[in-house]
């Protein structure tokens, strides 16, 4: 049953999301390193301090030939969670996409507005989903994410990102990316690391923007995936209303093995849903020197302040001596322009 439940916490926030959307602006991945190129500082949006020094020291020691900690380039795998790690997650962007899909489907077929679960979304009837539980939420995901060809779904995702605005900040979605993380991705790649996104979100949604937003190609995205059926007559892939892999928590190491085939030496996640503990733990089992990084959302002024009720991620970080990003102290700047 667990595999059938995709992003349930995400969907519970669906009915408080803003409907507004406007044209987003395009920013090439290279723009995020312009300051670094001019200053010589690979991480200009990170405040000088212990964490920044430790990141740079790690990269230098594992890329220096002759060093006892040297890692051959083919093993320099870095994995990053997406929601709350590379961009903001209050609300989830995929939550906004699901709401967008409901709107588009009702526009095309107005009669859907009188059918569940569309009616509940349009009327922001949270009670319907609280009473319906997992079954109602699964029905919504299946209705908005499947029953079409892969080309049709990709076109829908692209249309969404062209106009999507982030409601709580009232900016294009591209501007809720974390500038320090864009610099970190570029810094790692400049030193021979291959960067991957390992997300609990659906793989196809993230693939649509991974190259443009992060400089990460489609084939370096690992995420929750649906089952597909090949239609030989039409020569297309059809999306089916069933999950193939739920890529969260313990599912992340499994997804990494399926898509990458080896443990990452650098793994970065965030505190917020305990979804990255398994990935960071898995990384720490690498035979090569590894680095684990956890973003702590403690900046209520520039971003958001929230935490897990049981502090599971922060406790795991303390126990395993992972590095913690104190957003207030470690990041000079939070969001990309």
């Amino acid at each position: 049953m667990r595999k059938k439940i995709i992003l349930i916490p995400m969907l519970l926030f669906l009915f408080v999301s803003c409907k507004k959307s406007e044209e987003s602006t395009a920013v090439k991945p290279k723009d995020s390193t312009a300051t670094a190129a001019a200053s010589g500082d690979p991480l200009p949006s990170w405040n000088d301090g212990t964490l920044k020094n430790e990141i740079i020291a790690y990269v230098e020691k594992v890329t220096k030939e002759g060093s006892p900690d040297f890692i051959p380039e083919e093993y320099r795998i870095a994995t990053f969670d997406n929601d709350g790690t590379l961009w903001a997650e209050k609300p989830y962007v995929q939550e906004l996409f699901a709401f967008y899909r409901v709107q588009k489907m009702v526009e095309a077929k107005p009669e859907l507005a009188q059918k569940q679960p569309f009616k509940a979304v349009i009327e922001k009837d949270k009670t319907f989903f609280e009473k319906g539980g997992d079954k109602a939420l699964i029905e919504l995901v299946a209705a908005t994410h499947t029953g079409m060809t892969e080309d049709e779904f990709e076109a829908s995702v692209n249309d969404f990102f062209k106009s999507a605005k982030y409601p709580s900040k009232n900016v294009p979605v591209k501007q809720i990316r974390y500038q320090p993380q864009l610099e970190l991705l570029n810094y790692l790649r400049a030193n021979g690391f291959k960067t991957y996104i390992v997300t609990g979100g659906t793989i196809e949604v993230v693939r649509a923007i991974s190259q443009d937003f992060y400089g990460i190609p489609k084939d370096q995205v690992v995420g929750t995936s649906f089952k597909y059926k090949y239609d030989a007559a039409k020569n297309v892939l059809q999306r089916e209303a069933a999950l193939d892999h739920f890529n969260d928590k313990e599912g992340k190491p499994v997804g990494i093995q399926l898509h990458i085939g080896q443990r990452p030496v650098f793994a970065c996640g965030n505190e917020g849903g305990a979804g990255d503990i398994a990935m960071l733990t898995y990384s720490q089992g690498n035979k090569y020197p590894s680095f684990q990084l956890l973003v702590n959302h403690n900046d209520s002024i520039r971003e958001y302040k929230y935490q897990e009720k049981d502090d599971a991620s922060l406790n795991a970080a303390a126990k395993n001596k992972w590095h913690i990003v104190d957003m207030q102290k470690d990041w000079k700047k939070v969001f990309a322009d």
Side-chain angles (χ1 to χ4, degrees):
M1 183 62 177
R2 185 171 180 270
K3 280 194 172 184
K4 293 183 179 178
I5 304 173
I6 176 173
L7 305 176
I8 297 304
M10 172 194 81
L11 290 169
L12 288 174
F13 291 102
L14 183 61
F15 314 102
V16 295
S17 297
C18 176
K19 295 182 181 180
K20 296 180 181 179
S21 62
E22 293 181 9
E23 186 71 19
S24 64
T25 55
V27 180
K28 296 179 181 178
K30 67 179 182 180
D31 292 346
S32 64
T33 57
T35 305
S39 67
D41 182 350
L43 303 173
S45 295
W46 293 70
N47 284 316
D48 293 332
T50 301
L51 180 57
K52 180 175 178 178
N53 292 337
E54 288 175 343
I55 292 172
I56 293 173
Y58 171 77
V59 172
E60 289 180 346
K61 79 176 183 179
V62 301
T63 58
K64 183 179 180 180
E65 293 205 36
S67 164
D69 295 315
F70 177 75
I71 300 176
E73 195 161 327
E74 62 267 30
Y75 297 108
R76 294 178 204 166
I77 301 298
T79 57
F80 285 76
D81 171 55
N82 190 38
D83 296 311
T85 299
L86 294 179
W87 67 13
E89 62 177 357
K90 295 293 182 180
Y92 291 100
V93 172
Q94 190 153 357
E95 164 194 331
L96 302 179
F97 173 70
F99 191 39
Y100 167 86
R101 284 285 301 144
V102 168
Q103 287 183 298
K104 290 296 182 182
M105 293 173 75
V106 169
E107 286 174 8
K109 294 183 178 180
E111 61 270 23
L112 290 177
Q114 301 306 315
K115 294 179 62 177
Q116 297 292 12
F118 301 95
K119 186 174 185 292
V121 174
I122 296 298
E123 297 178 356
K124 297 185 179 180
D125 181 8
K126 188 176 179 179
T127 304
F128 171 82
F129 289 92
E130 290 176 342
K131 290 183 177 179
D134 295 344
K135 182 179 179 181
L137 293 169
I138 293 168
E139 183 182 356
L140 176 63
V141 173
T144 57
H145 286 63
T146 64
M148 67 193 85
T149 67
E150 189 59 27
D151 290 341
E152 290 169 339
F153 183 78
E154 186 171 331
S156 180
V157 174
N158 290 335
D159 287 342
F160 165 74
F161 278 106
K162 285 178 183 177
S163 60
K165 252 196 156 181
Y166 203 67
S168 56
K169 297 293 183 182
N170 198 34
V171 297
V173 170
K174 203 163 194 178
Q175 288 181 222
I176 54 103
R177 298 172 301 162
Y178 300 137
Q179 179 64 26
Q181 297 291 65
L182 299 180
E183 294 167 2
L184 179 55
L185 287 170
N186 281 312
Y187 177 52
L188 290 171
R189 288 193 289 260
N191 285 276
F193 284 80
K194 194 170 184 179
T195 55
Y196 288 81
I197 294 174
V198 179
T199 177
T202 59
I203 191 169
E204 299 87 354
V205 171
V206 179
R207 278 176 172 173
I209 50 84
S210 62
Q211 179 66 61
D212 183 31
F213 279 33
Y214 305 118
I216 295 177
K218 286 183 176 183
D219 62 346
Q220 288 169 218
V221 175
V222 181
T224 295
S225 56
F226 286 98
K227 289 184 177 180
Y228 296 97
K229 181 179 180 181
Y230 177 61
D231 186 332
K234 297 180 180 179
N235 195 23
V236 296
L237 285 173
Q238 189 77 20
R239 300 170 61 81
E240 296 187 312
L243 284 185
D244 183 49
H245 174 65
F246 183 50
N247 197 65
D248 196 32
K249 298 183 178 178
E250 288 77 13
K252 287 197 172 185
V254 175
I256 289 170
Q257 177 59 33
L258 288 171
H259 289 264
I260 305 173
Q262 61 188 51
R263 294 177 192 253
V265 294
F266 192 104
C268 181
N270 82 103
E271 187 274 344
D276 298 313
I277 295 174
M279 179 174 74
L280 271 62
T281 302
Y282 184 58
S283 167
Q284 200 163 19
N286 205 299
K287 67 178 181 180
Y288 291 107
S290 62
F291 196 101
Q292 292 74 40
L293 189 62
L294 189 78
V295 177
N296 185 22
H297 298 274
N298 64 349
D299 195 328
S300 61
I301 304 300
R302 297 183 300 172
E303 202 236 8
Y304 308 99
K305 185 174 183 178
Y306 55 95
Q307 63 187 70
E308 298 157 0
K309 291 182 179 180
D310 59 0
D311 286 330
S313 296
L314 290 175
N315 289 338
K319 177 182 177 181
N320 295 292
K321 295 181 170 54
W322 298 341
H323 301 81
I324 299 175
V325 175
D326 183 321
M327 194 178 285
Q328 283 186 320
K329 296 180 180 179
D330 292 318
W331 284 359
K332 189 181 301 182
K333 175 181 181 180
V334 175
F335 294 110
D337 293 327

